[in-house]
Amino acid sequence: MKLSKEITNGLIIFFGIALYFFFMKLIGLEKLIYPRFLNIFIVYYGMSRTLKANKGQNRLGFGKNLFDIIQTGLIGVVLSVVGLYVYIYYNGGQSFLDHLSQGYLTGKNPTVAEYCFAVFSEGIGSIVILAFVSMQLLKYKSSDEI
């Protein structure tokens, strides 16, 4: 069974983010906030792969491409948040979360659900911004080729 390009690239986003955060933990940067924002490049990579696949299939419609890359990003972000939820509970639940970047995104001491919702909201915001940036880049590149 062949997976759709949106699911495949959503899985690439999920595994890319998982490997990135595993690497951050391995080198001791898991408590720092700013390196966490670099995962936006992983999300952009997965979304741009979907755009390239659409372009290769000669699907150049704005609406279709926008829908596909948002769908790709959503798959990656939802899987990542579910993975984060499982990871937090695997490592001790609320007591583990209390040691992660206190005050990051939600205030002083968020619950696991609040923390995951905040990460999900941040992911949705990133997807929307990246989708429109990607579509403008696609439009710019397409007009140069004509």
Side-chain angles (χ1 to χ4, degrees), residues 97-115:
L97 181 61
D98 291 341
H99 295 297
L100 287 178
S101 306
Q102 294 177 350
Y104 175 65
L105 292 175
T106 58
K108 271 197 164 245
N109 293 317
T111 64
V112 176
E114 290 171 340
Y115 190 80

Side-chain angles (χ1 to χ4, degrees), residues 2-12 46 49-55 57 59 64-65 68 72 75:
K2 186 176 178 191
L3 298 175
S4 70
K5 64 186 170 300
E6 294 86 9
I7 293 174
T8 301
N9 293 326
L11 287 170
I12 288 171
R49 281 179 48 99
T50 299
L51 271 180
K52 287 178 187 173
N54 281 355
K55 192 173 181 180
Q57 296 172 350
R59 293 182 179 173
K64 174 69 173 145
N65 281 316
D68 286 353
T72 299
I75 291 168

Side-chain angles (χ1 to χ4, degrees), residues 89-146:
Y89 274 108
Y90 178 78
N91 284 299
Q94 190 64 43
S95 62
F96 175 74
L97 181 61
D98 291 341
H99 295 297
L100 287 178
S101 306
Q102 294 177 350
Y104 175 65
L105 292 175
T106 58
K108 271 197 164 245
N109 293 317
T111 64
V112 176
E114 290 171 340
Y115 190 80
C116 289
F117 180 75
V119 170
F120 177 73
S121 299
E122 178 188 275
I124 296 299
S126 297
I127 289 169
V128 169
I129 292 168
L130 288 173
F132 286 106
V133 166
S134 297
M135 293 307 296
Q136 291 302 314
L137 289 173
L138 178 70
K139 185 171 123 180
Y140 176 74
K141 289 179 182 178
S142 296
S143 67
D144 283 349
E145 294 172 357
I146 296 175

